[in-house]
Amino acid sequence: MYKEIKIQEEYIKLDQLLKMADLVQSGGHAKLMIQDGMVKLNGTKEYQRGKKIRVGDIVEVEGNKVKVVE
């Protein structure tokens, strides 16, 4: 089961998405989780907090999955 996050733009940065989806408390928390390899993008660990997340991408943190939709 996915939580769906709607975006209006072409993309959203990974750290912004984590905050928008309430998976982290702050940008600093997002940075640490990403650096520690705790965030997956489409099934692969992602280490860039500014990674562009687009419609159709799935982000996973500690078993919580978020799908980006239009």
Side-chain angles (χ1 to χ4, degrees), residues 34-49:
I34 294 166
Q35 285 178 341
D36 290 345
M38 299 174 69
V39 179
K40 290 184 180 179
L41 172 59
N42 299 323
T44 304
K45 287 184 182 180
E46 181 55 59
Y47 296 95
Q48 298 177 49
R49 71 179 188 187

Side-chain angles (χ1 to χ4, degrees), residues 3-4 7 12 19-20 24 26 39 47-48 56 60 65 68:
K3 177 177 184 177
E4 292 187 347
I7 62 170
I12 185 172
K19 287 189 287 184
M20 183 183 277
V24 297
S26 66
V39 179
Y47 296 95
Q48 298 177 49
E60 183 177 354
K65 293 183 179 182
V68 180

Side-chain angles (χ1 to χ4, degrees), residues 3 5-7 12 15-23:
K3 177 177 184 177
I5 295 291
K6 289 188 176 193
I7 62 170
I12 185 172
D15 58 347
Q16 294 172 332
L17 177 73
L18 295 178
K19 287 189 287 184
M20 183 183 277
D22 293 324
L23 295 174

Side-chain angles (χ1 to χ4, degrees), residues 44-61:
T44 304
K45 287 184 182 180
E46 181 55 59
Y47 296 95
Q48 298 177 49
R49 71 179 188 187
K51 181 74 174 177
K52 294 177 181 176
I53 309 301
R54 302 179 192 284
V55 171
D57 284 340
I58 297 172
V59 174
E60 183 177 354
V61 178

